[in-house]
Each structure stands twice: as structure tokens, then as C-alpha cells.
PDB file of all heavy atoms in Angstrom:
ATOM      1  N   TYR A   1       0.847  -1.165  -0.053  1.00 89.00           N
ATOM      2  CA  TYR A   1      -0.054  -0.032  -0.001  1.00 89.00           C
ATOM      3  C   TYR A   1       0.973   1.243   0.035  1.00 89.00           C
ATOM      4  O   TYR A   1       1.864   1.323   0.747  1.00 89.00           O
ATOM      5  CB  TYR A   1      -0.825  -0.013   1.295  1.00 89.00           C
ATOM      6  CG  TYR A   1      -1.947  -1.081   1.269  1.00 89.00           C
ATOM      7  CD1 TYR A   1      -1.664  -2.331   1.801  1.00 89.00           C
ATOM      8  CD2 TYR A   1      -3.142  -0.840   0.693  1.00 89.00           C
ATOM      9  CE1 TYR A   1      -2.612  -3.350   1.777  1.00 89.00           C
ATOM     10  CE2 TYR A   1      -4.245  -1.853   0.730  1.00 89.00           C
ATOM     11  CZ  TYR A   1      -3.930  -3.030   1.254  1.00 89.00           C
ATOM     12  OH  TYR A   1      -4.838  -4.021   1.256  1.00 89.00           O
ATOM     13  N   THR A   2       0.624   2.184  -0.850  1.00 92.00           N
ATOM     14  CA  THR A   2       1.351   3.487  -0.861  1.00 92.00           C
ATOM     15  C   THR A   2       0.351   4.631  -0.885  1.00 92.00           C
ATOM     16  O   THR A   2      -0.737   4.487  -1.468  1.00 92.00           O
ATOM     17  CB  THR A   2       2.160   3.474  -2.129  1.00 92.00           C
ATOM     18  OG1 THR A   2       1.259   3.427  -3.363  1.00 92.00           O
ATOM     19  CG2 THR A   2       3.254   2.520  -2.190  1.00 92.00           C
ATOM     20  N   LEU A   3       0.807   5.694  -0.266  1.00 92.00           N
ATOM     21  CA  LEU A   3       0.034   6.925  -0.189  1.00 92.00           C
ATOM     22  C   LEU A   3       0.779   8.028  -0.804  1.00 92.00           C
ATOM     23  O   LEU A   3       1.912   8.290  -0.483  1.00 92.00           O
ATOM     24  CB  LEU A   3      -0.327   7.332   1.296  1.00 92.00           C
ATOM     25  CG  LEU A   3      -1.169   8.549   1.500  1.00 92.00           C
ATOM     26  CD1 LEU A   3      -2.572   8.297   1.034  1.00 92.00           C
ATOM     27  CD2 LEU A   3      -1.205   8.867   2.952  1.00 92.00           C
ATOM     28  N   GLY A   4       0.164   8.717  -1.798  1.00 91.00           N
ATOM     29  CA  GLY A   4       0.840   9.773  -2.643  1.00 91.00           C
ATOM     30  C   GLY A   4       0.093  11.068  -2.490  1.00 91.00           C
ATOM     31  O   GLY A   4      -1.090  11.227  -2.372  1.00 91.00           O
ATOM     32  N   LEU A   5       0.926  12.080  -2.615  1.00 93.00           N
ATOM     33  CA  LEU A   5       0.454  13.378  -2.684  1.00 93.00           C
ATOM     34  C   LEU A   5       0.895  14.050  -4.020  1.00 93.00           C
ATOM     35  O   LEU A   5       2.013  13.917  -4.454  1.00 93.00           O
ATOM     36  CB  LEU A   5       1.121  14.303  -1.574  1.00 93.00           C
ATOM     37  CG  LEU A   5       0.777  15.739  -1.523  1.00 93.00           C
ATOM     38  CD1 LEU A   5      -0.743  16.053  -1.306  1.00 93.00           C
ATOM     39  CD2 LEU A   5       1.610  16.467  -0.493  1.00 93.00           C
ATOM     40  N   LYS A   6      -0.070  14.854  -4.622  1.00 92.00           N
ATOM     41  CA  LYS A   6       0.171  15.311  -5.997  1.00 92.00           C
ATOM     42  C   LYS A   6      -0.201  16.873  -6.031  1.00 92.00           C
ATOM     43  O   LYS A   6      -1.267  17.293  -5.574  1.00 92.00           O
ATOM     44  CB  LYS A   6      -0.652  14.556  -7.046  1.00 92.00           C
ATOM     45  CG  LYS A   6      -0.439  15.124  -8.434  1.00 92.00           C
ATOM     46  CD  LYS A   6      -1.283  14.395  -9.416  1.00 92.00           C
ATOM     47  CE  LYS A   6      -1.119  14.873 -10.866  1.00 92.00           C
ATOM     48  NZ  LYS A   6      -2.052  14.122 -11.798  1.00 92.00           N
ATOM     49  N   LEU A   7       0.680  17.682  -6.549  1.00 93.00           N
ATOM     50  CA  LEU A   7       0.453  19.119  -6.694  1.00 93.00           C
ATOM     51  C   LEU A   7       0.710  19.431  -8.090  1.00 93.00           C
ATOM     52  O   LEU A   7       1.642  19.070  -8.700  1.00 93.00           O
ATOM     53  CB  LEU A   7       1.407  19.934  -5.799  1.00 93.00           C
ATOM     54  CG  LEU A   7       1.233  19.721  -4.212  1.00 93.00           C
ATOM     55  CD1 LEU A   7       2.322  20.506  -3.548  1.00 93.00           C
ATOM     56  CD2 LEU A   7      -0.151  20.129  -3.818  1.00 93.00           C
ATOM     57  N   SER A   8      -0.223  20.224  -8.675  1.00 94.00           N
ATOM     58  CA  SER A   8      -0.123  20.633 -10.069  1.00 94.00           C
ATOM     59  C   SER A   8      -0.549  22.102 -10.171  1.00 94.00           C
ATOM     60  O   SER A   8      -1.498  22.493  -9.616  1.00 94.00           O
ATOM     61  CB  SER A   8      -0.813  19.767 -11.125  1.00 94.00           C
ATOM     62  OG  SER A   8      -2.244  19.890 -10.860  1.00 94.00           O
ATOM     63  N   ILE A   9       0.138  22.858 -11.050  1.00 92.00           N
ATOM     64  CA  ILE A   9      -0.145  24.248 -11.335  1.00 92.00           C
ATOM     65  C   ILE A   9       0.247  24.537 -12.762  1.00 92.00           C
ATOM     66  O   ILE A   9       1.433  24.227 -13.152  1.00 92.00           O
ATOM     67  CB  ILE A   9       0.487  25.182 -10.404  1.00 92.00           C
ATOM     68  CG1 ILE A   9       0.054  26.607 -10.535  1.00 92.00           C
ATOM     69  CG2 ILE A   9       1.960  25.084 -10.375  1.00 92.00           C
ATOM     70  CD1 ILE A   9       0.522  27.531  -9.358  1.00 92.00           C
ATOM     71  N   PRO A  10      -0.532  25.208 -13.562  1.00 91.00           N
ATOM     72  CA  PRO A  10      -0.198  25.549 -14.875  1.00 91.00           C
ATOM     73  C   PRO A  10       0.986  26.625 -14.839  1.00 91.00           C
ATOM     74  O   PRO A  10       1.055  27.472 -14.030  1.00 91.00           O
ATOM     75  CB  PRO A  10      -1.408  26.180 -15.547  1.00 91.00           C
ATOM     76  CG  PRO A  10      -2.564  25.706 -14.711  1.00 91.00           C
ATOM     77  CD  PRO A  10      -2.022  25.452 -13.316  1.00 91.00           C
ATOM     78  N   ILE A  11       1.840  26.544 -15.853  1.00 91.00           N
ATOM     79  CA  ILE A  11       2.936  27.460 -16.005  1.00 91.00           C
ATOM     80  C   ILE A  11       2.493  28.614 -16.932  1.00 91.00           C
ATOM     81  O   ILE A  11       2.257  28.406 -18.066  1.00 91.00           O
ATOM     82  CB  ILE A  11       4.198  26.830 -16.522  1.00 91.00           C
ATOM     83  CG1 ILE A  11       4.692  25.723 -15.570  1.00 91.00           C
ATOM     84  CG2 ILE A  11       5.285  27.883 -16.587  1.00 91.00           C
ATOM     85  CD1 ILE A  11       5.825  24.930 -16.000  1.00 91.00           C
ATOM     86  N   PRO A  12       2.359  29.900 -16.411  1.00 89.00           N
ATOM     87  CA  PRO A  12       1.773  31.020 -17.200  1.00 89.00           C
ATOM     88  C   PRO A  12       2.825  31.452 -18.296  1.00 89.00           C
ATOM     89  O   PRO A  12       3.378  32.686 -18.054  1.00 89.00           O
ATOM     90  CB  PRO A  12       1.440  32.025 -16.284  1.00 89.00           C
ATOM     91  CG  PRO A  12       2.316  31.755 -15.023  1.00 89.00           C
ATOM     92  CD  PRO A  12       2.550  30.296 -15.003  1.00 89.00           C
ATOM     93  N   VAL A  13       3.113  30.708 -19.155  1.00 89.00           N
ATOM     94  CA  VAL A  13       4.174  31.127 -20.103  1.00 89.00           C
ATOM     95  C   VAL A  13       3.542  31.888 -21.346  1.00 89.00           C
ATOM     96  O   VAL A  13       4.039  32.932 -21.706  1.00 89.00           O
ATOM     97  CB  VAL A  13       4.958  29.860 -20.726  1.00 89.00           C
ATOM     98  CG1 VAL A  13       5.963  30.266 -21.831  1.00 89.00           C
ATOM     99  CG2 VAL A  13       5.685  29.167 -19.600  1.00 89.00           C
ATOM    100  N   PHE A  14       2.428  31.427 -21.865  1.00 90.00           N
ATOM    101  CA  PHE A  14       1.859  31.958 -23.068  1.00 90.00           C
ATOM    102  C   PHE A  14       0.617  32.822 -22.672  1.00 90.00           C
ATOM    103  O   PHE A  14       0.416  33.919 -23.160  1.00 90.00           O
ATOM    104  CB  PHE A  14       1.488  30.888 -24.043  1.00 90.00           C
ATOM    105  CG  PHE A  14       2.616  29.979 -24.419  1.00 90.00           C
ATOM    106  CD1 PHE A  14       2.668  28.636 -24.003  1.00 90.00           C
ATOM    107  CD2 PHE A  14       3.559  30.472 -25.222  1.00 90.00           C
ATOM    108  CE1 PHE A  14       3.715  27.823 -24.373  1.00 90.00           C
ATOM    109  CE2 PHE A  14       4.617  29.707 -25.593  1.00 90.00           C
ATOM    110  CZ  PHE A  14       4.686  28.379 -25.158  1.00 90.00           C
ATOM    111  N   ASP A  15      -0.297  32.215 -21.830  1.00 89.00           N
ATOM    112  CA  ASP A  15      -1.452  32.929 -21.540  1.00 89.00           C
ATOM    113  C   ASP A  15      -1.422  33.431 -20.069  1.00 89.00           C
ATOM    114  O   ASP A  15      -1.470  32.649 -19.059  1.00 89.00           O
ATOM    115  CB  ASP A  15      -2.626  32.022 -21.528  1.00 89.00           C
ATOM    116  CG  ASP A  15      -3.916  32.657 -21.302  1.00 89.00           C
ATOM    117  OD1 ASP A  15      -4.023  33.835 -21.042  1.00 89.00           O
ATOM    118  OD2 ASP A  15      -4.966  31.964 -21.392  1.00 89.00           O
ATOM    119  N   ARG A  16      -1.241  34.702 -19.938  1.00 91.00           N
ATOM    120  CA  ARG A  16      -1.281  35.314 -18.543  1.00 91.00           C
ATOM    121  C   ARG A  16      -2.470  36.195 -18.403  1.00 91.00           C
ATOM    122  O   ARG A  16      -2.381  37.233 -17.719  1.00 91.00           O
ATOM    123  CB  ARG A  16       0.070  36.126 -18.391  1.00 91.00           C
ATOM    124  CG  ARG A  16       1.317  35.324 -18.480  1.00 91.00           C
ATOM    125  CD  ARG A  16       2.558  36.190 -18.072  1.00 91.00           C
ATOM    126  NE  ARG A  16       2.728  37.223 -19.082  1.00 91.00           N
ATOM    127  CZ  ARG A  16       3.354  37.021 -20.326  1.00 91.00           C
ATOM    128  NH1 ARG A  16       3.791  35.721 -20.646  1.00 91.00           N
ATOM    129  NH2 ARG A  16       3.428  38.030 -21.101  1.00 91.00           N
ATOM    130  N   ASN A  17      -3.553  35.838 -19.115  1.00 90.00           N
ATOM    131  CA  ASN A  17      -4.882  36.529 -19.055  1.00 90.00           C
ATOM    132  C   ASN A  17      -4.774  37.882 -19.636  1.00 90.00           C
ATOM    133  O   ASN A  17      -5.471  38.872 -19.134  1.00 90.00           O
ATOM    134  CB  ASN A  17      -5.458  36.393 -17.630  1.00 90.00           C
ATOM    135  CG  ASN A  17      -6.862  36.752 -17.722  1.00 90.00           C
ATOM    136  OD1 ASN A  17      -7.666  36.314 -18.566  1.00 90.00           O
ATOM    137  ND2 ASN A  17      -7.428  37.458 -16.673  1.00 90.00           N
ATOM    138  N   GLN A  18      -3.858  38.131 -20.630  1.00 93.00           N
ATOM    139  CA  GLN A  18      -3.625  39.398 -21.118  1.00 93.00           C
ATOM    140  C   GLN A  18      -5.035  40.006 -21.774  1.00 93.00           C
ATOM    141  O   GLN A  18      -5.422  41.128 -21.665  1.00 93.00           O
ATOM    142  CB  GLN A  18      -2.712  39.420 -22.273  1.00 93.00           C
ATOM    143  CG  GLN A  18      -1.282  38.912 -21.737  1.00 93.00           C
ATOM    144  CD  GLN A  18      -1.053  37.436 -22.067  1.00 93.00           C
ATOM    145  OE1 GLN A  18      -1.983  36.644 -21.850  1.00 93.00           O
ATOM    146  NE2 GLN A  18       0.212  37.194 -22.532  1.00 93.00           N
ATOM    147  N   ALA A  19      -5.673  39.010 -22.465  1.00 94.00           N
ATOM    148  CA  ALA A  19      -7.027  39.413 -23.053  1.00 94.00           C
ATOM    149  C   ALA A  19      -8.003  39.829 -22.048  1.00 94.00           C
ATOM    150  O   ALA A  19      -8.812  40.752 -22.167  1.00 94.00           O
ATOM    151  CB  ALA A  19      -7.532  38.197 -23.936  1.00 94.00           C
ATOM    152  N   GLY A  20      -8.089  39.040 -20.936  1.00 91.00           N
ATOM    153  CA  GLY A  20      -9.009  39.264 -19.973  1.00 91.00           C
ATOM    154  C   GLY A  20      -8.850  40.625 -19.291  1.00 91.00           C
ATOM    155  O   GLY A  20      -9.744  41.384 -19.001  1.00 91.00           O
ATOM    156  N   VAL A  21      -7.503  40.976 -19.070  1.00 93.00           N
ATOM    157  CA  VAL A  21      -7.179  42.262 -18.510  1.00 93.00           C
ATOM    158  C   VAL A  21      -7.595  43.359 -19.357  1.00 93.00           C
ATOM    159  O   VAL A  21      -8.167  44.399 -19.018  1.00 93.00           O
ATOM    160  CB  VAL A  21      -5.726  42.339 -18.100  1.00 93.00           C
ATOM    161  CG1 VAL A  21      -5.216  43.662 -17.741  1.00 93.00           C
ATOM    162  CG2 VAL A  21      -5.383  41.301 -16.991  1.00 93.00           C
ATOM    163  N   GLN A  22      -7.336  43.244 -20.701  1.00 95.00           N
ATOM    164  CA  GLN A  22      -7.642  44.177 -21.666  1.00 95.00           C
ATOM    165  C   GLN A  22      -9.205  44.376 -21.749  1.00 95.00           C
ATOM    166  O   GLN A  22      -9.676  45.564 -21.816  1.00 95.00           O
ATOM    167  CB  GLN A  22      -7.070  43.865 -23.041  1.00 95.00           C
ATOM    168  CG  GLN A  22      -7.326  44.992 -24.159  1.00 95.00           C
ATOM    169  CD  GLN A  22      -6.660  44.593 -25.383  1.00 95.00           C
ATOM    170  OE1 GLN A  22      -5.848  43.713 -25.404  1.00 95.00           O
ATOM    171  NE2 GLN A  22      -7.100  45.195 -26.434  1.00 95.00           N
ATOM    172  N   GLU A  23      -9.897  43.290 -21.802  1.00 94.00           N
ATOM    173  CA  GLU A  23     -11.407  43.366 -21.756  1.00 94.00           C
ATOM    174  C   GLU A  23     -11.928  44.148 -20.479  1.00 94.00           C
ATOM    175  O   GLU A  23     -12.844  44.985 -20.648  1.00 94.00           O
ATOM    176  CB  GLU A  23     -11.923  41.963 -21.869  1.00 94.00           C
ATOM    177  CG  GLU A  23     -13.457  42.012 -22.076  1.00 94.00           C
ATOM    178  CD  GLU A  23     -13.970  40.539 -22.111  1.00 94.00           C
ATOM    179  OE1 GLU A  23     -13.143  39.621 -22.117  1.00 94.00           O
ATOM    180  OE2 GLU A  23     -15.226  40.365 -22.303  1.00 94.00           O
ATOM    181  N   ALA A  24     -11.327  43.735 -19.347  1.00 93.00           N
ATOM    182  CA  ALA A  24     -11.856  44.403 -18.212  1.00 93.00           C
ATOM    183  C   ALA A  24     -11.526  45.890 -18.075  1.00 93.00           C
ATOM    184  O   ALA A  24     -12.368  46.700 -17.650  1.00 93.00           O
ATOM    185  CB  ALA A  24     -11.198  43.638 -16.891  1.00 93.00           C
ATOM    186  N   ARG A  25     -10.368  46.244 -18.530  1.00 94.00           N
ATOM    187  CA  ARG A  25     -10.034  47.633 -18.598  1.00 94.00           C
ATOM    188  C   ARG A  25     -10.921  48.454 -19.560  1.00 94.00           C
ATOM    189  O   ARG A  25     -11.340  49.547 -19.390  1.00 94.00           O
ATOM    190  CB  ARG A  25      -8.519  47.747 -19.071  1.00 94.00           C
ATOM    191  CG  ARG A  25      -8.027  49.300 -19.068  1.00 94.00           C
ATOM    192  CD  ARG A  25      -6.529  49.392 -19.156  1.00 94.00           C
ATOM    193  NE  ARG A  25      -5.873  48.959 -18.065  1.00 94.00           N
ATOM    194  CZ  ARG A  25      -5.118  47.789 -17.960  1.00 94.00           C
ATOM    195  NH1 ARG A  25      -4.985  47.019 -19.071  1.00 94.00           N
ATOM    196  NH2 ARG A  25      -4.472  47.467 -16.824  1.00 94.00           N
ATOM    197  N   ALA A  26     -11.241  47.828 -20.803  1.00 95.00           N
ATOM    198  CA  ALA A  26     -12.304  48.388 -21.640  1.00 95.00           C
ATOM    199  C   ALA A  26     -13.648  48.674 -21.042  1.00 95.00           C
ATOM    200  O   ALA A  26     -14.185  49.780 -21.166  1.00 95.00           O
ATOM    201  CB  ALA A  26     -12.443  47.664 -22.923  1.00 95.00           C
ATOM    202  N   ARG A  27     -14.076  47.728 -20.230  1.00 93.00           N
ATOM    203  CA  ARG A  27     -15.431  47.858 -19.600  1.00 93.00           C
ATOM    204  C   ARG A  27     -15.290  48.882 -18.505  1.00 93.00           C
ATOM    205  O   ARG A  27     -16.235  49.702 -18.246  1.00 93.00           O
ATOM    206  CB  ARG A  27     -15.850  46.613 -18.874  1.00 93.00           C
ATOM    207  CG  ARG A  27     -16.289  45.511 -20.054  1.00 93.00           C
ATOM    208  CD  ARG A  27     -17.121  44.351 -19.418  1.00 93.00           C
ATOM    209  NE  ARG A  27     -16.275  43.683 -18.436  1.00 93.00           N
ATOM    210  CZ  ARG A  27     -15.622  42.509 -18.821  1.00 93.00           C
ATOM    211  NH1 ARG A  27     -15.711  42.043 -20.081  1.00 93.00           N
ATOM    212  NH2 ARG A  27     -14.911  41.906 -17.844  1.00 93.00           N
ATOM    213  N   GLN A  28     -14.104  48.909 -17.783  1.00 92.00           N
ATOM    214  CA  GLN A  28     -13.873  50.008 -16.806  1.00 92.00           C
ATOM    215  C   GLN A  28     -14.020  51.441 -17.428  1.00 92.00           C
ATOM    216  O   GLN A  28     -14.666  52.255 -16.912  1.00 92.00           O
ATOM    217  CB  GLN A  28     -12.562  49.826 -16.093  1.00 92.00           C
ATOM    218  CG  GLN A  28     -12.372  50.752 -14.939  1.00 92.00           C
ATOM    219  CD  GLN A  28     -10.792  50.608 -14.509  1.00 92.00           C
ATOM    220  OE1 GLN A  28      -9.915  50.548 -15.356  1.00 92.00           O
ATOM    221  NE2 GLN A  28     -10.640  50.680 -13.206  1.00 92.00           N
ATOM    222  N   ASN A  29     -13.271  51.622 -18.461  1.00 95.00           N
ATOM    223  CA  ASN A  29     -13.326  52.916 -19.217  1.00 95.00           C
ATOM    224  C   ASN A  29     -14.714  53.259 -19.669  1.00 95.00           C
ATOM    225  O   ASN A  29     -15.155  54.421 -19.695  1.00 95.00           O
ATOM    226  CB  ASN A  29     -12.360  52.951 -20.303  1.00 95.00           C
ATOM    227  CG  ASN A  29     -10.845  52.772 -19.835  1.00 95.00           C
ATOM    228  OD1 ASN A  29     -10.544  53.100 -18.664  1.00 95.00           O
ATOM    229  ND2 ASN A  29      -9.928  52.205 -20.657  1.00 95.00           N
ATOM    230  N   SER A  30     -15.393  52.227 -20.215  1.00 95.00           N
ATOM    231  CA  SER A  30     -16.807  52.491 -20.714  1.00 95.00           C
ATOM    232  C   SER A  30     -17.668  52.886 -19.618  1.00 95.00           C
ATOM    233  O   SER A  30     -18.528  53.882 -19.712  1.00 95.00           O
ATOM    234  CB  SER A  30     -17.256  51.187 -21.360  1.00 95.00           C
ATOM    235  OG  SER A  30     -18.642  51.438 -21.846  1.00 95.00           O
ATOM    236  N   ALA A  31     -17.629  52.222 -18.477  1.00 93.00           N
ATOM    237  CA  ALA A  31     -18.512  52.629 -17.280  1.00 93.00           C
ATOM    238  C   ALA A  31     -18.200  53.983 -16.831  1.00 93.00           C
ATOM    239  O   ALA A  31     -19.072  54.770 -16.506  1.00 93.00           O
ATOM    240  CB  ALA A  31     -18.300  51.562 -16.218  1.00 93.00           C
ATOM    241  N   ALA A  32     -16.901  54.371 -16.721  1.00 94.00           N
ATOM    242  CA  ALA A  32     -16.545  55.747 -16.358  1.00 94.00           C
ATOM    243  C   ALA A  32     -17.028  56.748 -17.380  1.00 94.00           C
ATOM    244  O   ALA A  32     -17.609  57.862 -16.924  1.00 94.00           O
ATOM    245  CB  ALA A  32     -14.982  55.817 -16.190  1.00 94.00           C
ATOM    246  N   SER A  33     -17.006  56.450 -18.546  1.00 95.00           N
ATOM    247  CA  SER A  33     -17.461  57.398 -19.571  1.00 95.00           C
ATOM    248  C   SER A  33     -18.959  57.582 -19.498  1.00 95.00           C
ATOM    249  O   SER A  33     -19.454  58.708 -19.527  1.00 95.00           O
ATOM    250  CB  SER A  33     -17.053  56.948 -20.983  1.00 95.00           C
ATOM    251  OG  SER A  33     -15.690  56.922 -21.201  1.00 95.00           O
ATOM    252  N   ARG A  34     -19.707  56.495 -19.433  1.00 94.00           N
ATOM    253  CA  ARG A  34     -21.228  56.578 -19.288  1.00 94.00           C
ATOM    254  C   ARG A  34     -21.644  57.357 -18.039  1.00 94.00           C
ATOM    255  O   ARG A  34     -22.602  58.059 -18.112  1.00 94.00           O
ATOM    256  CB  ARG A  34     -21.721  55.193 -19.292  1.00 94.00           C
ATOM    257  CG  ARG A  34     -21.767  54.531 -20.700  1.00 94.00           C
ATOM    258  CD  ARG A  34     -22.529  53.228 -20.760  1.00 94.00           C
ATOM    259  NE  ARG A  34     -21.703  52.145 -20.141  1.00 94.00           N
ATOM    260  CZ  ARG A  34     -21.982  51.387 -19.157  1.00 94.00           C
ATOM    261  NH1 ARG A  34     -23.028  51.692 -18.407  1.00 94.00           N
ATOM    262  NH2 ARG A  34     -21.155  50.385 -18.791  1.00 94.00           N
ATOM    263  N   TRP A  35     -20.875  57.075 -16.918  1.00 94.00           N
ATOM    264  CA  TRP A  35     -21.217  57.796 -15.689  1.00 94.00           C
ATOM    265  C   TRP A  35     -20.951  59.340 -15.935  1.00 94.00           C
ATOM    266  O   TRP A  35     -21.831  60.138 -15.586  1.00 94.00           O
ATOM    267  CB  TRP A  35     -20.325  57.335 -14.577  1.00 94.00           C
ATOM    268  CG  TRP A  35     -20.617  58.055 -13.312  1.00 94.00           C
ATOM    269  CD1 TRP A  35     -21.612  57.787 -12.381  1.00 94.00           C
ATOM    270  CD2 TRP A  35     -20.058  59.156 -12.746  1.00 94.00           C
ATOM    271  NE1 TRP A  35     -21.661  58.665 -11.256  1.00 94.00           N
ATOM    272  CE2 TRP A  35     -20.628  59.540 -11.619  1.00 94.00           C
ATOM    273  CE3 TRP A  35     -18.816  60.012 -13.214  1.00 94.00           C
ATOM    274  CZ2 TRP A  35     -20.188  60.692 -10.717  1.00 94.00           C
ATOM    275  CZ3 TRP A  35     -18.550  61.142 -12.380  1.00 94.00           C
ATOM    276  CH2 TRP A  35     -19.172  61.384 -11.164  1.00 94.00           C
ATOM    277  N   ALA A  36     -19.773  59.786 -16.488  1.00 94.00           N
ATOM    278  CA  ALA A  36     -19.624  61.100 -16.835  1.00 94.00           C
ATOM    279  C   ALA A  36     -20.632  61.760 -17.707  1.00 94.00           C
ATOM    280  O   ALA A  36     -21.139  62.905 -17.472  1.00 94.00           O
ATOM    281  CB  ALA A  36     -18.226  61.365 -17.299  1.00 94.00           C
ATOM    282  N   ALA A  37     -21.038  61.123 -18.694  1.00 96.00           N
ATOM    283  CA  ALA A  37     -22.035  61.499 -19.678  1.00 96.00           C
ATOM    284  C   ALA A  37     -23.441  61.690 -18.955  1.00 96.00           C
ATOM    285  O   ALA A  37     -24.116  62.635 -19.213  1.00 96.00           O
ATOM    286  CB  ALA A  37     -22.149  60.649 -20.913  1.00 96.00           C
ATOM    287  N   ALA A  38     -23.731  60.738 -18.124  1.00 94.00           N
ATOM    288  CA  ALA A  38     -24.950  60.821 -17.328  1.00 94.00           C
ATOM    289  C   ALA A  38     -25.042  62.105 -16.442  1.00 94.00           C
ATOM    290  O   ALA A  38     -26.117  62.592 -16.304  1.00 94.00           O
ATOM    291  CB  ALA A  38     -25.119  59.507 -16.645  1.00 94.00           C
ATOM    292  N   VAL A  39     -23.954  62.352 -15.784  1.00 94.00           N
ATOM    293  CA  VAL A  39     -23.890  63.572 -14.944  1.00 94.00           C
ATOM    294  C   VAL A  39     -24.301  64.772 -15.690  1.00 94.00           C
ATOM    295  O   VAL A  39     -25.094  65.627 -15.372  1.00 94.00           O
ATOM    296  CB  VAL A  39     -22.469  63.709 -14.216  1.00 94.00           C
ATOM    297  CG1 VAL A  39     -22.428  65.048 -13.629  1.00 94.00           C
ATOM    298  CG2 VAL A  39     -22.350  62.584 -13.205  1.00 94.00           C
ATOM    299  N   ASN A  40     -23.668  64.892 -16.895  1.00 95.00           N
ATOM    300  CA  ASN A  40     -24.075  66.084 -17.787  1.00 95.00           C
ATOM    301  C   ASN A  40     -25.415  66.012 -18.239  1.00 95.00           C
ATOM    302  O   ASN A  40     -26.050  67.088 -18.386  1.00 95.00           O
ATOM    303  CB  ASN A  40     -23.023  66.062 -18.951  1.00 95.00           C
ATOM    304  CG  ASN A  40     -21.618  66.407 -18.605  1.00 95.00           C
ATOM    305  OD1 ASN A  40     -21.287  67.050 -17.567  1.00 95.00           O
ATOM    306  ND2 ASN A  40     -20.683  65.767 -19.350  1.00 95.00           N
TER     307      ASN A  40
END
């Protein structure tokens, strides 16, 4: 009988969620613009 422990984690070499960050920043800018326009 053997008992084993396994740990795994992806290595962020190619995908570091660059697209997700860019998309979130675009939505952030859009929300800020809509708020400013609404004030006026």
C-alpha cells in the first residue's frame, strides 16, 4: 500500500490572461465614460 500526494499548477508562459485584463479595462473605461455623460 502506498499513499501519494500530488500538486499541479499551470505555468503561465503563453497565457497570462492578457485578453481578460484588456477586456476588463475596456469595460472599466466604458463605465466611467457613461457615468460622466450621465452627470451632464
Side-chain angles (χ1 to χ4, degrees):
Y1 292 89
T2 57
L3 183 66
L5 176 65
K6 180 181 179 181
L7 298 176
S8 64
I9 186 170
I11 301 175
V13 176
F14 305 110
D15 184 1
R16 296 185 298 277
N17 199 36
Q18 302 97 317
V21 172
Q22 182 176 345
E23 184 180 2
R25 183 171 288 110
R27 287 197 298 267
Q28 181 192 44
N29 294 336
S30 175
S33 297
R34 283 187 282 116
W35 181 85
V39 171
N40 293 331

